[in-house]
Amino acid sequence: MRAAFGLVIFLAFCLGAGAPAARAALPSPYLEELTWTELRDALAAGTTTVIVPVGGTEQSGPHLALGKHNARVKVLAGRIATRLGDTLVAPVVAYVPEGSISPPTGHMRFPGTISVSATAFKGVLEGAAESLKRAGFTHIVLIGDHGGYQTLLKEVADHLNHLWTASGARAHFIAAYYGAAQTAYVRALRAKGLSDAEIGTHAGLADTSLELATDPAMVRLDRLAAAQGAKSGVAGDPRRASAALGQLGVDLIVDETVTAIRKARLDKQ
């Protein structure tokens, strides 16, 4: 009996030896919801990665709120961070290039859209990344929910990596986040028998379904029938949108982004 008890103690010691201390559960994956001491302790326990989610404030028809991109990228970034386990999420960047203000072009033709210059946008991202690096993060991840600034995110990451060559920190632009919504998700919707005319490219079925699956309060279901044509700010037909269809996109975006971040961290070590 005594020998058996000793064996149990020995095995427990061996299994625990050299294992990192368990990370204390944080109240939230969102940096802005933590205290500085909670963040300090998380960094000390091995939280090495932070996601900088980029949204945008723009019109999306009469049925989607102006902050659609901001709400969605925050929810998805939180799920990605939770899946990774050693990752937190910085505040959403809501001010992005949306076209000319005067004369107005693109979404700026509709009230509520907010645009900033590419220079201002890149400056905010670089300042945020430098701040996060100073805090102790070694992997700063940029993801964007809007197509118009994807190349700018890459430029920012490339510039930061040039500056950080000898620092041990890296910036990662993860194209897979936006790419999954534009490719794998569209294929999944087509496989359900939905047409490209319904799926759309802006505020259509795909866009609306994603929002229903992430933040349904941003969707005006009683306005879906009014969301028709370019004059309403819509490219697509959202009338058959559903949270179930949106969940297809959520799963694909989270899966592909998590895989891409893991790969990027290994490639850049």
Side-chain angles (χ1 to χ4, degrees):
M1 185 72 172
R2 186 176 298 171
F5 180 76
L7 178 60
V8 170
I9 297 298
F10 175 76
L11 289 173
F13 175 81
C14 289
L15 289 172
R23 294 191 185 101
L26 290 170
S28 170
Y30 299 107
L31 185 146
E32 62 196 313
E33 296 176 6
L34 304 178
T35 68
W36 78 264
T37 54
E38 288 169 336
L39 176 58
R40 175 200 62 197
D41 295 346
L43 287 162
T47 297
T48 60
T49 301
V50 61
I51 297 171
V52 179
V54 185
T57 306
E58 67 174 24
Q59 76 82 23
S60 288
H63 65 299
L64 286 175
L66 292 158
K68 168 197 76 179
H69 285 301
N70 303 322
R72 185 160 71 210
V73 77
K74 181 174 182 178
V75 170
L76 293 176
R79 295 184 187 181
I80 291 161
T82 300
R83 178 85 67 83
L84 288 166
D86 57 356
T87 301
L88 293 175
V89 180
V92 174
V93 178
Y95 298 96
V96 309
E98 291 280 2
S100 171
I101 297 173
S102 183
T105 61
H107 297 307
M108 286 304 303
R109 294 178 294 110
F110 298 82
T113 304
I114 299 175
S115 187
V116 300
S117 70
T119 300
F121 176 64
K122 290 166 72 173
V124 167
L125 290 173
E126 289 172 9
E130 291 280 9
S131 299
L132 294 164
K133 173 178 170 289
R134 164 65 78 178
F137 291 102
T138 55
H139 296 282
I140 289 83
V141 172
L142 306 179
I143 61 171
D145 206 69
H146 184 293
Y149 49 65
Q150 297 293 309
T151 57
L152 296 177
L153 296 182
K154 184 178 186 306
E155 289 175 13
V156 168
D158 289 346
H159 177 64
L160 290 170
N161 286 329
H162 176 72
L163 296 176
W164 296 349
T165 301
S167 72
R170 301 295 296 174
H172 310 282
F173 163 55
I174 303 298
Y177 174 89
Y178 185 72
Q182 305 306 307
T183 55
Y185 180 38
V186 171
R187 288 195 297 269
L189 292 174
R190 287 172 181 159
K192 293 286 186 181
L194 297 160
S195 69
D196 287 349
E198 286 180 285
I199 294 168
T201 57
H202 180 75
L205 180 143
D207 213 355
T208 306
S209 292
L210 275 178
E211 206 67 22
L212 286 169
T214 52
D215 193 343
M218 304 294 280
V219 184
R220 311 293 186 258
L221 293 174
D222 62 337
R223 300 294 293 162
L224 293 181
Q228 302 294 311
K231 288 185 178 180
S232 70
V234 176
D237 184 348
R239 287 177 292 179
R240 290 207 286 168
S242 71
L245 291 173
Q247 191 60 44
L248 295 173
V250 168
D251 292 341
L252 288 165
I253 292 167
V254 172
D255 287 347
E256 295 195 13
T257 304
V258 166
T259 298
I261 292 172
R262 285 174 173 157
K263 182 178 186 300
R265 294 192 302 191
L266 290 173
D267 288 348
K268 298 299 183 180
Q269 285 180 350

